[in-house]
Amino acid sequence: MNMVVSSNKKPNIKQLNPNESTEIYFYVVTMAISGPIWIEAEFEAKDKEVTIYTYQYDVNHKNDEKYDVPNKWAMNDFVQGRLELLQTNTNIQILILTIITVLEAILGLRIL
């Protein structure tokens, strides 16, 4: 399934120093779908001679990586549905309660 959400907002971003970052919110949307998504943005400097280099934070390696294409940024992400998230939370709580019950039965623990 393809779904496109676009924004016509043109935020002004000040020049950033090394190791400085900024967050930009173009559009806040409630997704009607769940699963993998692709997010991309294209940047244009006021001065056409300026090239904008973007970076992404790699959570697996805990470092910043330069994005390959100048004046653009993109990443993949995953949208988890609210019901699925609530069910996962409920399952974790049931598991914790089960473990406590088993420990209480085996070890005779008394929890206030």
Side-chain angles (χ1 to χ4, degrees), residues 61-94:
H61 297 99
K62 297 189 179 1
N63 67 341
D64 293 320
E65 290 290 330
K66 187 174 181 181
Y67 188 67
D68 295 338
V69 184
N71 298 330
K72 289 190 176 192
W73 175 86
M75 70 174 280
N76 60 336
D77 208 348
F78 190 86
V79 176
Q80 187 174 18
R82 180 182 168 102
L83 184 59
E84 181 182 345
L85 190 61
L86 290 172
Q87 185 63 52
T88 301
N89 190 16
T90 301
N91 290 345
I92 290 171
Q93 291 174 359
I94 290 170

Short mmCIF file of all heavy atoms in Angstrom, two decimals, residues 61-94:
data_model
loop_
_atom_site.label_atom_id
_atom_site.label_comp_id
_atom_site.label_asym_id
_atom_site.label_seq_id
_atom_site.Cartn_x
_atom_site.Cartn_y
_atom_site.Cartn_z
N HIS A 61 24.59 1.74 15.82
CA HIS A 61 26.02 1.97 15.99
C HIS A 61 26.32 3.20 16.85
O HIS A 61 27.47 3.54 17.08
CB HIS A 61 26.70 2.10 14.63
CG HIS A 61 26.60 0.85 13.82
ND1 HIS A 61 25.65 0.69 12.83
CD2 HIS A 61 27.28 -0.32 13.87
CE1 HIS A 61 25.77 -0.50 12.29
NE2 HIS A 61 26.74 -1.15 12.91
N LYS A 62 25.27 3.94 17.23
CA LYS A 62 25.37 5.13 18.08
C LYS A 62 26.35 6.17 17.52
O LYS A 62 27.22 6.67 18.23
CB LYS A 62 25.75 4.73 19.50
CG LYS A 62 24.69 3.86 20.16
CD LYS A 62 24.96 3.65 21.61
CE LYS A 62 23.96 2.83 22.34
NZ LYS A 62 22.85 2.26 21.75
N ASN A 63 26.17 6.47 16.24
CA ASN A 63 26.98 7.53 15.64
C ASN A 63 26.20 8.20 14.50
O ASN A 63 25.19 7.69 14.05
CB ASN A 63 28.32 6.99 15.14
CG ASN A 63 28.17 6.05 13.98
OD1 ASN A 63 27.10 5.50 13.73
ND2 ASN A 63 29.24 5.85 13.24
N ASP A 64 26.70 9.35 14.08
CA ASP A 64 26.09 10.08 12.97
C ASP A 64 26.73 9.65 11.66
O ASP A 64 27.94 9.48 11.58
CB ASP A 64 26.28 11.59 13.15
CG ASP A 64 25.52 12.14 14.34
OD1 ASP A 64 24.38 11.69 14.54
OD2 ASP A 64 26.05 13.00 15.07
N GLU A 65 25.89 9.48 10.66
CA GLU A 65 26.37 9.11 9.33
C GLU A 65 25.89 10.16 8.33
O GLU A 65 24.73 10.57 8.36
CB GLU A 65 25.82 7.74 8.91
CG GLU A 65 26.41 6.58 9.69
CD GLU A 65 27.86 6.32 9.35
OE1 GLU A 65 28.29 6.59 8.20
OE2 GLU A 65 28.58 5.85 10.24
N LYS A 66 26.78 10.56 7.44
CA LYS A 66 26.42 11.52 6.42
C LYS A 66 25.50 10.86 5.40
O LYS A 66 25.75 9.74 4.96
CB LYS A 66 27.69 12.03 5.73
CG LYS A 66 27.46 13.16 4.77
CD LYS A 66 28.81 13.66 4.27
CE LYS A 66 28.64 14.80 3.32
NZ LYS A 66 29.94 15.28 2.82
N TYR A 67 24.40 11.58 5.05
CA TYR A 67 23.50 11.06 4.02
C TYR A 67 24.16 11.23 2.66
O TYR A 67 24.82 12.24 2.39
CB TYR A 67 22.15 11.78 4.09
CG TYR A 67 21.10 11.15 3.21
CD1 TYR A 67 20.61 9.89 3.48
CD2 TYR A 67 20.63 11.81 2.08
CE1 TYR A 67 19.66 9.29 2.67
CE2 TYR A 67 19.68 11.22 1.27
CZ TYR A 67 19.21 9.98 1.56
OH TYR A 67 18.27 9.38 0.75
N ASP A 68 23.98 10.25 1.79
CA ASP A 68 24.72 10.20 0.52
C ASP A 68 24.38 11.31 -0.47
O ASP A 68 25.23 11.71 -1.26
CB ASP A 68 24.47 8.85 -0.18
CG ASP A 68 25.03 7.69 0.60
OD1 ASP A 68 25.93 7.91 1.42
OD2 ASP A 68 24.56 6.56 0.41
N VAL A 69 23.15 11.81 -0.46
CA VAL A 69 22.71 12.77 -1.47
C VAL A 69 22.63 14.17 -0.87
O VAL A 69 21.90 14.39 0.08
CB VAL A 69 21.32 12.36 -2.03
CG1 VAL A 69 20.90 13.29 -3.14
CG2 VAL A 69 21.35 10.91 -2.51
N PRO A 70 23.39 15.15 -1.43
CA PRO A 70 23.32 16.51 -0.90
C PRO A 70 21.91 17.09 -1.06
O PRO A 70 21.17 16.74 -1.99
CB PRO A 70 24.31 17.28 -1.77
CG PRO A 70 25.19 16.25 -2.38
CD PRO A 70 24.36 15.02 -2.50
N ASN A 71 21.55 17.99 -0.17
CA ASN A 71 20.26 18.69 -0.17
C ASN A 71 19.06 17.77 0.04
O ASN A 71 17.93 18.16 -0.23
CB ASN A 71 20.06 19.51 -1.45
CG ASN A 71 21.11 20.58 -1.61
OD1 ASN A 71 21.64 21.10 -0.64
ND2 ASN A 71 21.44 20.90 -2.83
N LYS A 72 19.30 16.56 0.50
CA LYS A 72 18.20 15.62 0.76
C LYS A 72 18.47 14.88 2.06
O LYS A 72 19.61 14.79 2.52
CB LYS A 72 18.03 14.62 -0.38
CG LYS A 72 17.47 15.22 -1.63
CD LYS A 72 17.11 14.15 -2.62
CE LYS A 72 16.46 14.80 -3.84
NZ LYS A 72 15.83 13.84 -4.70
N TRP A 73 17.42 14.32 2.58
CA TRP A 73 17.50 13.47 3.77
C TRP A 73 16.39 12.45 3.66
O TRP A 73 15.29 12.76 3.21
CB TRP A 73 17.34 14.30 5.03
CG TRP A 73 17.30 13.50 6.29
CD1 TRP A 73 18.37 13.09 7.02
CD2 TRP A 73 16.15 13.01 6.95
NE1 TRP A 73 17.94 12.37 8.10
CE2 TRP A 73 16.57 12.31 8.09
CE3 TRP A 73 14.78 13.08 6.70
CZ2 TRP A 73 15.69 11.69 8.97
CZ3 TRP A 73 13.90 12.46 7.59
CH2 TRP A 73 14.37 11.79 8.70
N ALA A 74 16.65 11.22 4.07
CA ALA A 74 15.63 10.18 4.03
C ALA A 74 15.98 9.11 5.05
O ALA A 74 17.14 8.96 5.45
CB ALA A 74 15.53 9.57 2.64
N MET A 75 14.97 8.39 5.46
CA MET A 75 15.17 7.27 6.37
C MET A 75 13.96 6.36 6.33
O MET A 75 12.88 6.76 5.91
CB MET A 75 15.42 7.74 7.81
CG MET A 75 14.19 8.34 8.49
SD MET A 75 14.43 8.72 10.22
CE MET A 75 14.23 7.12 10.96
N ASN A 76 14.15 5.13 6.75
CA ASN A 76 13.03 4.23 6.89
C ASN A 76 12.69 4.14 8.38
O ASN A 76 13.52 4.34 9.25
CB ASN A 76 13.33 2.86 6.30
CG ASN A 76 14.50 2.20 6.96
OD1 ASN A 76 15.36 2.85 7.53
ND2 ASN A 76 14.56 0.90 6.89
N ASP A 77 11.45 3.85 8.67
CA ASP A 77 10.98 3.74 10.05
C ASP A 77 9.86 2.72 10.09
O ASP A 77 9.50 2.16 9.06
CB ASP A 77 10.51 5.10 10.56
CG ASP A 77 10.67 5.24 12.07
OD1 ASP A 77 10.91 4.22 12.76
OD2 ASP A 77 10.54 6.36 12.58
N PHE A 78 9.31 2.50 11.25
CA PHE A 78 8.24 1.53 11.39
C PHE A 78 7.13 2.15 12.22
O PHE A 78 7.38 2.69 13.30
CB PHE A 78 8.76 0.25 12.05
CG PHE A 78 7.77 -0.87 12.01
CD1 PHE A 78 7.70 -1.71 10.91
CD2 PHE A 78 6.89 -1.08 13.06
CE1 PHE A 78 6.78 -2.74 10.86
CE2 PHE A 78 5.97 -2.12 13.02
CZ PHE A 78 5.92 -2.95 11.92
N VAL A 79 5.90 2.08 11.73
CA VAL A 79 4.74 2.59 12.45
C VAL A 79 4.06 1.41 13.12
O VAL A 79 3.71 0.42 12.47
CB VAL A 79 3.75 3.29 11.49
CG1 VAL A 79 2.50 3.72 12.24
CG2 VAL A 79 4.41 4.48 10.81
N GLN A 80 3.92 1.52 14.43
CA GLN A 80 3.25 0.46 15.18
C GLN A 80 1.86 0.96 15.57
O GLN A 80 1.72 2.05 16.11
CB GLN A 80 4.05 0.10 16.43
CG GLN A 80 3.50 -1.10 17.17
CD GLN A 80 4.39 -1.52 18.32
OE1 GLN A 80 5.23 -0.76 18.79
NE2 GLN A 80 4.21 -2.73 18.79
N GLY A 81 0.85 0.17 15.27
CA GLY A 81 -0.52 0.56 15.56
C GLY A 81 -0.78 0.68 17.05
O GLY A 81 -0.18 -0.02 17.86
N ARG A 82 -1.69 1.56 17.42
CA ARG A 82 -1.99 1.80 18.83
C ARG A 82 -2.52 0.54 19.52
O ARG A 82 -2.10 0.20 20.61
CB ARG A 82 -3.00 2.94 18.94
CG ARG A 82 -3.37 3.26 20.37
CD ARG A 82 -4.41 4.38 20.44
NE ARG A 82 -4.94 4.47 21.77
CZ ARG A 82 -4.58 5.38 22.66
NH1 ARG A 82 -3.69 6.28 22.32
NH2 ARG A 82 -5.12 5.41 23.86
N LEU A 83 -3.42 -0.16 18.86
CA LEU A 83 -3.98 -1.38 19.46
C LEU A 83 -2.88 -2.42 19.68
O LEU A 83 -2.82 -3.07 20.72
CB LEU A 83 -5.09 -1.94 18.58
CG LEU A 83 -5.83 -3.15 19.12
CD1 LEU A 83 -6.49 -2.82 20.47
CD2 LEU A 83 -6.89 -3.62 18.15
N GLU A 84 -2.00 -2.55 18.73
CA GLU A 84 -0.88 -3.49 18.85
C GLU A 84 0.03 -3.09 20.01
O GLU A 84 0.49 -3.94 20.79
CB GLU A 84 -0.09 -3.51 17.54
CG GLU A 84 1.07 -4.46 17.52
CD GLU A 84 1.85 -4.39 16.21
OE1 GLU A 84 1.35 -3.83 15.22
OE2 GLU A 84 2.98 -4.90 16.20
N LEU A 85 0.29 -1.81 20.14
CA LEU A 85 1.12 -1.31 21.22
C LEU A 85 0.47 -1.56 22.59
O LEU A 85 1.13 -2.01 23.53
CB LEU A 85 1.37 0.19 21.02
CG LEU A 85 2.41 0.84 21.90
CD1 LEU A 85 3.77 0.21 21.69
CD2 LEU A 85 2.47 2.33 21.58
N LEU A 86 -0.83 -1.31 22.69
CA LEU A 86 -1.55 -1.57 23.93
C LEU A 86 -1.56 -3.05 24.27
O LEU A 86 -1.42 -3.44 25.44
CB LEU A 86 -2.98 -1.03 23.84
CG LEU A 86 -3.12 0.49 23.84
CD1 LEU A 86 -4.57 0.89 23.54
CD2 LEU A 86 -2.67 1.09 25.14
N GLN A 87 -1.73 -3.90 23.27
CA GLN A 87 -1.74 -5.35 23.50
C GLN A 87 -0.37 -5.83 23.97
O GLN A 87 -0.27 -6.66 24.87
CB GLN A 87 -2.15 -6.10 22.23
CG GLN A 87 -2.29 -7.59 22.43
CD GLN A 87 -3.39 -7.94 23.42
OE1 GLN A 87 -4.51 -7.48 23.28
NE2 GLN A 87 -3.08 -8.76 24.41
N THR A 88 0.69 -5.29 23.39
CA THR A 88 2.04 -5.64 23.82
C THR A 88 2.25 -5.25 25.28
O THR A 88 2.80 -6.02 26.07
CB THR A 88 3.09 -4.95 22.92
OG1 THR A 88 2.89 -5.36 21.57
CG2 THR A 88 4.50 -5.26 23.35
N ASN A 89 1.80 -4.06 25.65
CA ASN A 89 1.92 -3.59 27.03
C ASN A 89 1.15 -4.50 27.98
O ASN A 89 1.65 -4.89 29.04
CB ASN A 89 1.42 -2.15 27.12
CG ASN A 89 1.73 -1.53 28.47
OD1 ASN A 89 2.55 -2.03 29.22
ND2 ASN A 89 1.08 -0.42 28.76
N THR A 90 -0.06 -4.87 27.60
CA THR A 90 -0.87 -5.77 28.42
C THR A 90 -0.19 -7.13 28.57
O THR A 90 -0.14 -7.69 29.68
CB THR A 90 -2.27 -5.96 27.80
OG1 THR A 90 -2.90 -4.68 27.71
CG2 THR A 90 -3.13 -6.89 28.63
N ASN A 91 0.37 -7.66 27.49
CA ASN A 91 1.07 -8.95 27.54
C ASN A 91 2.27 -8.91 28.49
O ASN A 91 2.52 -9.86 29.23
CB ASN A 91 1.51 -9.39 26.15
CG ASN A 91 0.34 -9.77 25.27
OD1 ASN A 91 -0.76 -9.98 25.73
ND2 ASN A 91 0.60 -9.82 23.97
N ILE A 92 3.00 -7.80 28.47
CA ILE A 92 4.16 -7.66 29.37
C ILE A 92 3.69 -7.63 30.82
O ILE A 92 4.29 -8.27 31.69
CB ILE A 92 4.97 -6.39 29.01
CG1 ILE A 92 5.67 -6.60 27.66
CG2 ILE A 92 5.98 -6.05 30.11
CD1 ILE A 92 6.31 -5.36 27.09
N GLN A 93 2.61 -6.91 31.09
CA GLN A 93 2.09 -6.85 32.46
C GLN A 93 1.61 -8.23 32.93
O GLN A 93 1.87 -8.62 34.07
CB GLN A 93 0.95 -5.83 32.55
CG GLN A 93 1.43 -4.41 32.39
CD GLN A 93 0.30 -3.41 32.33
OE1 GLN A 93 -0.87 -3.77 32.39
NE2 GLN A 93 0.64 -2.14 32.22
N ILE A 94 0.95 -8.97 32.06
CA ILE A 94 0.51 -10.33 32.41
C ILE A 94 1.71 -11.23 32.69
O ILE A 94 1.71 -12.02 33.64
CB ILE A 94 -0.38 -10.92 31.30
CG1 ILE A 94 -1.73 -10.18 31.25
CG2 ILE A 94 -0.59 -12.42 31.49
CD1 ILE A 94 -2.58 -10.52 30.05
#
